[in-house]
Amino acid sequence: MLPEYTAIAFDKVIEKGGRTKPWTVLVETDRGIKPYVVKMFTPHLVENRDVVTNEVLGNVLAREFDLPVPEAALIHMDENFRMTIHDPRAQMAFDAADERIKFGSALVEGNYLFNPAFTKTQAEKMIDLDTLFAFDVFIRNRDRNAGKPNLLVTGKAAWLIDHELGFEIDQQAIADFKAGQWDEKFYLYHIFLNYLKKSRLATKRDYFGAFTEYLRTLNVNIIQPYLQQLGNHGYDQSRHTMIRDYLREIRQNSPNFDALLKSFIA
Ligand SMILES: Nc1ncnc2c1ncn2[C@@H]1O[C@H](COP(=O)(O)OP(=O)(O)O)[C@@H](O)[C@H]1O
Ligand SMILES: [Mg+2]
């Protein structure tokens, strides 16, 4: 389960970059008061894209592949919290936001966005390029591209954020995988594709080794308590079986997935 915290003070709206304009707020955690970034989704996005489930699963599964993600939590925003918002536009956004418990991630301090102008050598000091590429293909996340890197850099590390549009999974996705096919929109625009493509043949052969080993040993059941928790908070549960089936199908055929990944960077 994710920890559940209560927001105690509004800080600001993050205006730059993304579509959803998340907020920084102070929340009461079991380790004291900490700044968190909370996604203020509209009911429309929650209903149509199941964005909160995607954020939670993206964060939880990234850990299984040793990819750095900020601590995630579910954040409760009540009337006392609302009284700490003095900016009228933020008050309107609060009232327009979906009322359920929200997805938040611990503020990554002093970060800058990953920049596609970085060289491959610079980028690979920050993160395993092949593992992140494979992970995004796996979770069907189209939202890590040059326009929207959704990768926060601090010092020498890069942190994954923003999985709201991942897990674009349906029966066709499973059928395609069984047939050795994959819709190119799920890898063609990935921020790391060109770095991987430019590599030497010998390097390419070794790519995805770590990812495939994590995948082979992935316990899909670990997502169950998180899905249950979301269900308890009134989030839709109708996609859960499909998501589990999809993850298991890929896990059970990890060599095929490895071959598919290698074909994308050939
Ligand atoms: N945990 C975090 N720590 C620091 N900044 C964050 C964090 N999460 C999001 N942000 C900032 O907020 C911006 C938008 O967040 P993101 O999750 O990408 O939302 P959107 O759906 O609007 O793209 C990011 O580009 C980043 O600048
Ligand atoms: Mg974003």
Side-chain angles (χ1 to χ4, degrees), residues 3-226:
E4 297 183 9
Y5 300 139
T6 299
I8 56 168
F10 173 77
D11 176 32
K12 64 174 186 299
V13 178
I14 300 177
E15 299 280 354
K16 62 177 176 187
R19 296 171 310 131
T20 58
K21 295 192 176 38
W23 292 6
T24 51
V25 303
L26 294 177
V27 307
E28 179 108 63
T29 77
D30 38 23
R31 291 157 295 123
I33 293 170
K34 305 267 182 207
Y36 268 69
V37 177
V38 179
K39 304 287 288 254
M40 301 299 289
F41 293 122
T42 58
H44 179 83
L45 267 177
V46 176
E47 292 308 323
N48 290 285
R49 296 303 300 269
D50 204 8
V51 282
V52 175
T53 305
N54 299 335
E55 288 280 14
V56 171
L57 289 181
N59 187 284
V60 166
L61 284 172
R63 296 167 195 277
E64 299 299 309
F65 295 88
D66 230 3
L67 289 165
V69 280
E71 294 282 322
L74 297 181
I75 311 291
H76 185 59
M77 290 179 167
D78 58 17
E79 278 306 309
N80 288 333
F81 169 76
R82 192 188 185 284
M83 288 193 294
T84 70
I85 311 170
H86 301 299
D87 168 2
R89 281 191 313 149
Q91 286 170 346
M92 276 171 64
F94 181 86
D95 296 338
D98 188 83
E99 284 185 353
R100 284 164 277 194
I101 200 164
K102 295 171 173 57
F103 176 82
S105 57
L107 178 74
V108 177
E109 314 249 9
N111 75 77
Y112 56 90
L113 268 185
F114 183 90
N115 193 309
F118 294 155
T119 65
K120 184 183 170 214
T121 310
Q122 288 164 339
E124 63 195 359
K125 285 185 185 142
M126 298 168 183
I127 196 156
D128 278 334
L129 305 181
D130 56 320
T131 302
L132 180 55
F133 175 81
F135 178 70
D136 284 326
V137 175
F138 178 50
I139 68 163
R140 299 175 77 83
N141 177 29
R142 297 196 271 148
D143 225 3
R144 204 147 8 239
N145 50 57
K148 295 190 279 177
N150 288 317
L151 201 52
L152 304 180
V153 185
T154 57
K156 283 187 170 168
W159 303 79
L160 283 56
I161 56 159
D162 196 1
H163 302 103
E164 66 184 60
L165 297 180
F167 302 92
E168 235 184 284
I169 294 164
D170 52 19
Q171 290 300 346
Q172 189 60 45
I174 300 175
D176 279 358
F177 175 62
K178 286 180 173 164
Q181 287 161 9
W182 205 267
D183 188 335
E184 65 177 21
K185 71 184 180 206
F186 291 105
Y187 63 86
L188 210 50
Y189 310 103
H190 194 276
I191 192 161
F192 290 165
L193 179 63
N194 284 326
Y195 294 139
L196 299 174
K197 275 188 142 173
K198 275 189 306 196
S199 304
R200 297 160 194 270
L201 274 180
T203 311
K204 285 184 182 181
R205 260 198 299 275
D206 288 340
Y207 278 151
F208 312 124
F211 176 85
T212 305
E213 186 54 22
Y214 286 128
L215 176 63
R216 191 181 67 79
T217 56
L218 177 70
N219 177 5
V220 173
N221 294 330
I222 61 134
I223 66 173
Q224 201 45 39
Y226 301 95

